[in-house]
Amino acid sequence: MSGSIWMPPGSRADTLAPIPRQHTTPGWAHPDPVDELATRLGDFVAAAVHPDEIAALLESDGLSDDQIRERYGVKNSFALAEELYERVERRYPEPDGPVHDPWRTGLLGCLLRGVVFALPGLGYVLGAPLLTGPRDDFGLPAGTLPLLVGALAGWTWNQGLAHRAYSWLGLGDREAARRSLLLGAATGALLGALVALTVGGNTLTTVAFAAGQSVYLGAATALLVMGRERALLAALLPMAAGGVLALAHPLPNATRLTLLLVSLAAVALLGLRAVAPPKGRGELRDQPQRTRSRQPTTGPRLSASFPYALFGLATGVLVLHTALGDAPVAVALTLSMGPAERLLYRFRSAGLTGLRSSSTPRAFRWTTVRTVAECLTAYLIALLALGLATSALWPHAPAIAGIRLAGLLLLGVVLWTGLLLQSFGAVLGAAAVCCAAALAQTVALLTHTGSPHWAGLIIHGTAALAQATFVCTLLGRATAHR
């Protein structure tokens, strides 16, 4: 009497008896038309991220609200779309074939740019004996201060010029990019020479060297923006070979001057060829007659390039502070710009992967932080290897260790995170932090506040912490990766 009346004979007492399933729909009833529609449009509905997408599809098929009320018993297309959206489980199929990734780039090209950035340093080795005279008031060799100030002016100007030219290229106007590079490079060369002359170029040799430096910076910027790194490398080879040879054996001044002029002339001619208007009116000859005289009415604002110029000035000052006290470390920093650029591309590519694979904002934020840590660690390992190698190969250079090594790595963090922020358009924050660091280090040097190595370590560490926090905060948002 205590057993369940639903238990069949032979069943155990602890087994629940099966309860017959209740039929909610009579066997003679017709199928639900909404279910039929959900089955027919299942793939599209499952991939929709909002009911409005489904409503747009229904309306494009010609379904009116009257037809929807008659066939499906709902008010309109939006109500039907919401019903379909609720009934079909979300499925987001992966695209066929490999996913397009615009940030994939070759390692060789990035390393080539790093070499091209570093090779001009051999020009100073080759031209140093040409700058003769007593030391200046700061204790620097003759001609050093005008060349440094001219280089800073060139870096500042050409960083802004490169941004403006890239902006024109992004708008699809290659001719405007060429014009801006042609006029901007010439103006920058003149500006750099005048700045060097104003600061203290009291000898013809110093002024000529500073003018050549400014011409090179402008022409090299044009070649790099137009993607002519290999041509620039080929033009620098005579000067680079002479600089390496001068480190081992003395060279006559006439040979030094000839090698410098040959490479400078080659770079200038190649740069002029890259930005000169093409023959036959260039791209206009392929356009219809009615549109040949039509020019874009809007273009990038001049003020938009100003933060990039400030960023170039600030990073230039930070690197020059390092170069004055430790030339091998400055060479390592310059060479490391190749791996730095490659890792920037890797981060952007990993960001796209994170957007596809993360299902919540929190998951994407942690993925971004982990990717930043991985890329930054890889860059610091490359910088460390380059620093140790240049210190070992540089004649009479002490081994890099302790405070010098820590300062180098922290400066590497500042530079790479600044470049990362700049690549996402957040250049104002990067420029503000780097300008503050450059100003603080300059003031500490001029006022003789503490040891230069300790001052650099503290300033670089503070700037690195500020920018790393900024990177994790900004780039942890999915909207920053548009």
Side-chain angles (χ1 to χ4, degrees):
M1 295 294 294
S2 61
S4 172
I5 61 174
W6 299 103
M7 292 179 63
S11 298
R12 297 187 307 169
D14 59 348
T15 302
L16 294 176
I19 300 176
R21 188 178 62 177
Q22 302 297 318
H23 294 281
T24 58
T25 304
W28 47 264
H30 293 290
D32 187 353
V34 178
D35 286 339
E36 289 184 338
L37 184 62
T39 303
R40 183 163 60 88
L41 303 179
D43 292 338
F44 181 87
V45 174
V49 298
H50 194 276
D52 287 353
E53 293 185 49
I54 307 171
L57 176 65
L58 296 174
E59 293 175 355
S60 67
D61 284 343
L63 283 175
S64 65
D65 289 343
D66 292 337
Q67 292 173 328
I68 289 174
R69 280 192 292 268
E70 180 181 351
R71 296 181 189 179
Y72 304 105
V74 294
K75 183 178 179 181
N76 51 32
S77 60
F78 292 99
L80 180 57
E82 291 178 358
E83 185 69 23
L84 292 172
Y85 189 83
E86 291 177 0
R87 294 194 184 193
V88 179
E89 184 181 359
R90 302 297 95 208
R91 298 190 308 272
Y92 301 108
E94 292 293 331
D96 297 333
V99 179
H100 174 64
D101 187 354
W103 301 108
R104 289 190 181 275
T105 185
L107 176 62
L108 183 60
C110 295
L111 294 180
L112 176 62
R113 291 172 73 91
V115 172
V116 166
F117 293 153
L119 281 183
L122 293 171
Y124 297 100
V125 176
L126 201 58
L130 303 177
L131 302 173
T132 58
R135 291 181 175 268
D136 58 20
D137 297 337
F138 297 97
L140 299 174
T144 301
L145 185 60
L147 291 179
L148 291 180
V149 176
L152 283 177
W155 288 343
T156 305
W157 179 271
N158 289 295
Q159 186 80 1
L161 175 63
H163 172 263
R164 182 163 181 79
Y166 277 124
S167 298
W168 278 118
L169 290 176
L171 294 173
D173 196 338
R174 197 172 183 83
E175 286 304 309
R178 285 197 180 106
R179 288 195 302 271
S180 64
L181 287 171
L182 180 61
L183 297 177
T187 305
L190 180 61
L191 178 65
L194 291 177
V195 168
L197 179 64
T198 303
V199 168
N202 49 10
T203 64
L204 180 61
T205 304
T206 301
V207 174
F209 203 106
Q213 173 185 260
S214 300
V215 170
Y216 168 78
L217 289 174
T221 299
L223 288 172
L224 290 172
V225 171
M226 303 305 290
R228 307 291 178 82
E229 295 89 353
R230 296 179 185 274
L232 179 57
L233 176 63
L236 289 174
L237 287 180
M239 178 271 298
V244 172
L245 187 60
L247 290 174
H249 303 284
L251 294 178
N253 287 347
T255 303
R256 294 172 181 266
L257 182 60
T258 301
L259 291 173
L260 288 172
L261 291 177
V262 166
S263 285
L264 177 61
V267 173
L269 290 175
L270 288 172
L272 181 61
R273 181 181 177 185
V275 299
K279 296 180 181 180
R281 299 180 68 186
E283 299 173 355
L284 292 178
R285 61 185 174 184
D286 299 326
Q287 298 179 5
Q289 183 69 29
R290 289 174 299 175
T291 61
R292 288 187 179 184
S293 60
R294 191 177 302 169
Q295 299 294 332
T297 57
T298 59
R301 294 177 291 106
L302 283 173
S303 58
S305 300
F306 183 69
Y308 292 86
L310 276 182
F311 180 76
L313 172 63
T315 54
V317 170
L318 291 174
V319 172
L320 281 183
H321 276 297
T322 303
L324 290 176
D326 203 339
V329 168
V331 173
L333 278 171
T334 309
L335 286 172
S336 72
M337 290 298 102
E341 183 176 341
R342 177 66 179 85
L343 290 166
L344 291 176
Y345 280 107
R346 178 182 170 186
F347 178 84
R348 297 302 298 262
S349 177
L352 294 181
T353 304
L355 287 173
R356 291 193 301 269
S357 60
S358 302
S359 57
T360 63
R362 182 182 179 86
F364 177 74
R365 185 160 48 251
W366 279 112
T367 299
T368 302
V369 171
R370 184 170 61 251
T371 305
V372 168
E374 291 174 356
C375 293
L376 185 56
T377 301
Y379 171 67
L380 293 180
I381 291 174
L383 179 58
L384 175 62
L386 289 171
L388 294 176
T390 53
S391 296
L393 296 175
W394 198 273
H396 313 296
I400 181 172
I403 298 176
R404 293 172 58 219
L405 179 59
L408 169 64
L409 296 179
L410 288 174
L411 180 56
V413 174
V414 174
L415 294 179
W416 191 82
T417 53
L419 291 173
L420 181 60
L421 290 170
Q422 181 182 247
S423 70
F424 278 87
V427 67
L428 283 175
V433 173
C434 290
C435 283
L439 180 61
Q441 195 164 3
T442 303
V443 171
L445 178 66
L446 294 178
T447 58
H448 305 286
T449 304
S451 167
H453 291 300
W454 275 107
L457 180 68
I458 296 172
I459 293 171
H460 296 163
T462 305
L465 179 61
Q467 287 200 161
T469 304
F470 191 21
V471 164
C472 294
T473 302
L474 173 68
L475 304 187
R477 299 198 299 262
T479 53
H481 296 255
R482 291 176 295 181

